[in-house]
Amino acid sequence: MSQTFEDKALYRIRGTGGGWAFSPRDFLDLGGRPTVDSGLHRLEKRGEIRRVIRGIYDYPRFSKLLDQSLSPDIDQVARALARKFRWRIQPTGATALNFLGLSTQVPARAVYLSDGPDRVYQIGNTALAFEHTALKESGIELKESGLIVQALKSLGQERITPEIIAKIRAWLPESSRAKVLADTKTATGWVYSAIQQITQEDVHG
């Protein structure tokens, strides 16, 4: 029996484990635009996915503790918009620090540098802002790598303490550590040195 678009899309969406944000562009390999648009609309009506803003959906993470779906993942929404419009983006240092839990401030604004136009989207209580700039080609592929590099640069070499290393290490899943280390080889010397400490098997001290 042939699978419907909804079957194929749900298989892909559920495989992300929750929190993934996406646009119709992410499914154009499964069907034409009208098929994708109507299929995602039906999945939303069934409660399988959630509409975040116009043209962007997510697969909500569910909190058993709170017994409710969590707010959209701002970084995932930013990356879904970047894929949709074919922008390259980088989180600013302050935004990266917050995502990594290194800043205690609750930001009302998440800011990304982008090679696209200046744009602001309201996602719940957070303003997601893209600021146009000439992005340097960093060669960094993984979102985890980008967040870590931007956070470290924002802190500065003199503020990289064992506590900071430990916090980032706790945030970074063990399964991603080798990939991040390989992905950041082109980073500035002291930044890469810090990442080596973050990703090594045993951190003493």
Side-chain angles (χ1 to χ4, degrees), residues 102-169:
L102 300 176
S103 169
T104 54
Q105 293 179 321
V106 179
R109 190 176 175 89
V111 183
Y112 286 75
L113 304 178
S114 162
D115 59 0
D118 289 348
R119 293 267 177 90
V120 180
Y121 300 88
Q122 192 64 37
I123 314 293
N125 296 324
T126 304
L128 171 56
F130 295 93
E131 296 180 355
H132 177 76
T133 188
L135 283 182
K136 293 176 182 174
E137 191 61 69
S138 64
I140 289 174
E141 299 290 334
L142 301 173
K143 68 168 192 170
E144 293 90 347
S145 304
L147 286 170
I148 292 170
V149 168
Q150 293 301 319
L152 291 172
K153 284 184 175 178
S154 179
L155 286 168
Q157 185 173 6
E158 67 284 351
R159 291 172 63 194
I160 307 303
T161 63
E163 289 75 24
I164 293 289
I165 296 293
K167 277 189 177 181
I168 299 176
R169 191 169 188 275

Side-chain angles (χ1 to χ4, degrees), residues 20-200:
W20 187 48
F22 49 89
S23 74
R25 178 184 283 278
D26 292 310
F27 297 91
L28 291 180
D29 60 314
L30 301 181
R33 187 59 189 260
T35 300
V36 172
D37 285 344
S38 59
L40 292 179
H41 182 68
R42 284 193 294 273
L43 289 175
E44 183 206 354
K45 289 294 181 192
R46 281 162 43 186
E48 300 277 6
I49 61 176
R50 172 174 60 185
R51 183 178 181 270
V52 179
I53 51 174
R54 185 181 176 199
I56 299 292
Y57 301 87
D58 78 342
Y59 181 43
R61 295 163 296 167
F62 188 81
S63 168
K64 290 182 180 177
L65 182 66
L66 300 174
D67 194 31
Q68 66 182 34
S69 294
L70 299 175
S71 299
D73 183 317
I74 297 298
D75 187 56
Q76 287 282 357
V77 175
R79 292 175 193 283
L81 286 163
R83 291 194 306 274
K84 179 180 179 180
F85 296 119
R86 296 182 177 174
W87 299 337
R88 287 188 302 120
I89 63 172
Q90 283 179 3
T92 59
T95 295
L97 287 173
N98 186 264
F99 286 147
L100 269 59
L102 300 176
S103 169
T104 54
Q105 293 179 321
V106 179
R109 190 176 175 89
V111 183
Y112 286 75
L113 304 178
S114 162
D115 59 0
D118 289 348
R119 293 267 177 90
V120 180
Y121 300 88
Q122 192 64 37
I123 314 293
N125 296 324
T126 304
L128 171 56
F130 295 93
E131 296 180 355
H132 177 76
T133 188
L135 283 182
K136 293 176 182 174
E137 191 61 69
S138 64
I140 289 174
E141 299 290 334
L142 301 173
K143 68 168 192 170
E144 293 90 347
S145 304
L147 286 170
I148 292 170
V149 168
Q150 293 301 319
L152 291 172
K153 284 184 175 178
S154 179
L155 286 168
Q157 185 173 6
E158 67 284 351
R159 291 172 63 194
I160 307 303
T161 63
E163 289 75 24
I164 293 289
I165 296 293
K167 277 189 177 181
I168 299 176
R169 191 169 188 275
W171 172 86
L172 182 64
E174 196 170 334
S175 58
S176 300
R177 290 173 189 167
K179 296 175 192 171
V180 166
L181 186 63
D183 194 36
T184 53
K185 284 182 178 175
T186 58
T188 307
W190 69 265
V191 171
Y192 186 64
S193 176
I195 292 171
Q196 285 178 307
Q197 293 177 59
I198 290 163
T199 57
Q200 68 188 29

